[in-house]
Amino acid sequence: MEEFDEDIKNACRVLNGGGLILYPTDTVWGIGCDATDEGAVRRVYDLKKRADCRAMLVLLDSPAKVERYVREMPDIARDLIELADKPLTVVYSGCRNLAANLSGEDGSIGIRVTGEDFSRELCRAFRKPLVSTSANISGQPAPSSFGDIADEIRRGVDYIVRYRREDKTEHKPSTIIRLGSDNSIRIIRK
C-alpha cells in the first residue's frame, strides 16, 4: 500500500505542475494531465501525435461531479453510469470548466466515472478532472498492459506510476455512447 500512496502523492505533484503522467485506469494504461490546463492538454496531443480536433476524454471519481463539467446532464446519464457493468464513457453535448482545447469541434466531451482503485483515488486526491487517453501514438493499437507501452510514450511523460506495472491482465478500452438532448443514445464503440 505504501507504493500506492506514494504514487498518488507523486502523480498529484506532477499534475499540479502541468506535467504528464502514465497511469493505470479502469481500462487501458493512460496518459493523464490536468483537464483544466490547456498547456498540459497540448503536450498530450503532441506526445500522441494527434490532431487536437479529436477530443480526449475526462476521468472523474464520482457521478456527482459530472455536472460541474457539462452544460446539461440528461437524467438518463445518471442511470447509465450507475447501471454500467463495465467501463462506460458518455459523450455529452457541451462542456464547461475544462481546457478549451480538450473538447471536440462541436463542444462535446467524453466523461468516464472510474471504479478502479488507483484512478479513482487519484481523481479524489487531485480534486480536478483528469485527461485519460490511451498510452499510444495516435493510430497505433492501445496497449493492453504496461509492457505494451512504447518507449517514446514512456520518455514523453514526467511520471510513470509504479502500481500495477506487473499486472498482465488484458484490459480493453471503454464502451463509448453519445447522449442526445432528447435522451437518445448512440453507440460509438462497443
Side-chain angles (χ1 to χ4, degrees):
M1 203 59 174
E2 185 177 318
E3 180 179 272
F4 183 98
D5 294 339
E6 197 66 23
D7 273 333
I8 295 290
K9 184 174 85 175
N10 289 334
C12 284
R13 179 182 43 76
V14 168
L15 292 165
N16 279 315
L20 307 186
I21 63 168
L22 193 55
Y23 69 114
T25 73
D26 53 340
T27 60
V28 297
W29 272 74
I31 300 169
C33 73
D34 178 348
T36 66
D37 181 333
E38 284 189 44
V41 170
R42 164 67 32 226
R43 284 187 62 206
V44 175
Y45 283 121
D46 291 347
L47 177 59
K48 287 184 64 83
K49 299 180 174 136
R50 181 175 176 165
D52 63 3
C53 63
R54 294 197 56 219
M56 294 184 288
L57 72 89
V58 170
L59 206 61
L60 296 171
D61 61 303
S62 164
K65 293 181 181 175
V66 174
E67 290 185 72
R68 296 180 194 171
Y69 303 104
V70 297
R71 288 193 189 101
E72 182 182 343
M73 185 172 177
D75 291 334
I76 195 168
R78 287 177 190 78
D79 295 334
L80 291 169
I81 292 167
E82 291 189 20
L83 295 173
D85 60 354
K86 67 180 212 171
L88 175 68
T89 299
V90 178
V91 178
Y92 299 90
S93 298
C95 70
R96 61 186 182 150
N97 302 321
L98 295 169
N101 57 345
L102 185 56
S103 65
E105 290 180 323
D106 62 357
S108 64
I109 191 69
I111 297 178
R112 187 170 74 243
V113 176
T114 181
E116 185 269 336
D117 291 342
F118 185 84
S119 54
R120 184 179 57 232
E121 185 55 36
L122 179 59
C123 287
R124 275 190 198 135
F126 185 51
R127 300 173 63 181
K128 293 185 201 174
L130 284 175
V131 164
S132 186
T133 183
S134 57
N136 61 305
I137 301 296
S138 189
Q140 295 180 359
S144 62
S145 67
F146 179 77
D148 295 334
I149 300 170
D151 287 340
E152 183 176 358
I153 295 292
R154 292 180 197 200
R155 286 191 307 268
V157 300
D158 303 300
Y159 183 73
I160 301 174
V161 169
R162 294 170 296 173
Y163 180 72
R164 277 187 41 205
R165 282 191 197 184
E166 304 305 318
D167 180 4
K168 302 291 185 212
T169 306
E170 286 203 21
H171 296 277
K172 297 183 177 169
S174 67
T175 296
I176 302 175
I177 62 170
R178 184 175 189 121
L179 296 181
S181 56
D182 60 353
N183 282 334
S184 62
I185 300 171
R186 191 178 87 205
I187 297 172
I188 297 173
R189 178 176 69 201
K190 276 191 171 187

